[in-house]
């Protein structure tokens, strides 16, 4: 899988780009967890999501936020990271101009960034938010949430309590015109250790495959 370096708002950003042969393939952007707590694009959840999307026929890009790995700049409280994500999406779209579907998948801090990106970019047709930290960050900007997606978390998550994710999901489910699904993996922690990873990836795969056959947003 080719390593790529592309321009971000604060200098170069480092990524892994995994194209399909089909020029019309859907595209997906992966967003990693918190840079200050060891989050990188090679995080296990992000890595597994990346390959799951690629197996489903997506051209996929994951990348390191500013100040992580070989990406330039320094941590910016989520503000700069959102700009990084927008630059990564620009790069991905510039390489895949025929794409009809555009998805964003984020884990933990990356889920929060992904949901904000959704609000800025109407071309995003679906999202996956894994372990969204609804207890740490305000998600009220999702009013209304512009596209349908899936929130997924573990019932034993001690970092982002399941009750907060459930509250966020029920708020989003009240919105008309989109469908936000919410799944929980029984016994899984924040990072979906062990066999929980497989269950989470299967759930995400089933959801995305189903969405790709539907025509609604």
């Amino acid at each position: 899988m080719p390593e790529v370096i592309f321009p971000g708002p604060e200098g170069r950003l480092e990524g892994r780009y995994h194209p399909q042969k089909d020029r019309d393939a859907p595209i997906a952007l992966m967003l990693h967890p918190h840079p200050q707590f060891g989050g990188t694009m090679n995080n296990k959840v992000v890595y597994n999501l990346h390959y799951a999307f690629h197996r489903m026929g997506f051209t996929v890009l994951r990348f390191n936020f500013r100040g992580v790995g070989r990406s330039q700049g320094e941590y910016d409280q989520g503000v700069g990271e959102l700009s990084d994500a927008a630059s990564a999406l620009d790069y991905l779209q510039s390489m895949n101009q025929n794409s009809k579907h555009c998805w964003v998948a984020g884990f933990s801090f990356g889920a929060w960034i992904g949901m904000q990106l959704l609000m800025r970019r109407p071309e995003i047709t679906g999202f996956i938010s894994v372990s969204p930290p609804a207890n740490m960050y305000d998600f009220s900007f999702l009013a209304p949430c512009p596209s349908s997606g899936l929130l997924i978390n573990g019932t034993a998550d001690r970092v982002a309590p399941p009750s907060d994710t459930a509250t966020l999901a029920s708020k989003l489910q009240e919105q008309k015109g989109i469908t936000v699904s919410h799944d929980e993996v029984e016994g899984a922690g924040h990072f979906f250790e062990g066999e929980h990873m497989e269950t989470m990836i299967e759930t995400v795969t089933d959801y995305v495959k189903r969405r790709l056959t539907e025509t609604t947003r």
Side-chain angles (χ1 to χ4, degrees), residues 32-37 65 75-79 81-82 107-116 130-142 159-161 164-165 167-168 171 190:
H32 73 69
H34 206 296
Q36 292 194 307
F37 298 100
F65 288 124
Y75 175 67
D76 189 32
Q77 311 292 327
V79 180
E81 286 73 15
L82 176 55
F107 169 47
S108 195
F109 172 84
W112 178 58
I113 298 292
M115 301 295 262
Q116 291 177 77
V130 182
S131 305
N135 57 323
M136 296 177 218
Y137 298 106
D138 182 4
F139 281 81
S140 61
F141 56 80
L142 291 163
V159 178
D164 293 314
T165 306
T167 304
L168 172 62
K171 273 186 193 152
H190 193 66

Side-chain angles (χ1 to χ4, degrees), residues 149-212:
L150 171 69
L151 302 179
I152 184 163
N153 62 291
T155 59
D157 190 333
R158 292 209 175 106
V159 178
S163 57
D164 293 314
T165 306
T167 304
L168 172 62
S170 61
K171 273 186 193 152
L172 297 179
Q173 284 161 348
E174 289 165 10
Q175 298 181 9
K176 293 178 173 55
I178 57 148
T179 308
V180 173
S181 303
H182 177 215
D183 261 296
E184 291 192 318
V185 177
E186 192 60 42
H190 193 66
F191 295 95
F192 297 91
E193 293 89 349
E195 73 277 11
H196 298 306
M197 179 74 77
E198 203 174 308
T199 310
M200 184 271 287
I201 292 294
E202 278 172 13
T203 306
V204 168
T205 301
D206 291 346
Y207 174 81
V208 176
K209 280 183 172 170
R210 189 174 78 245
R211 281 285 308 282
L212 289 176

Side-chain angles (χ1 to χ4, degrees), residues 9-28:
E10 287 293 303
R12 296 189 309 273
L13 292 171
E14 171 192 21
R16 298 284 182 280
Y17 177 65
H18 209 164
Q20 298 284 350
K21 289 194 172 69
D22 176 9
R23 292 185 66 82
D24 296 339
I27 56 175

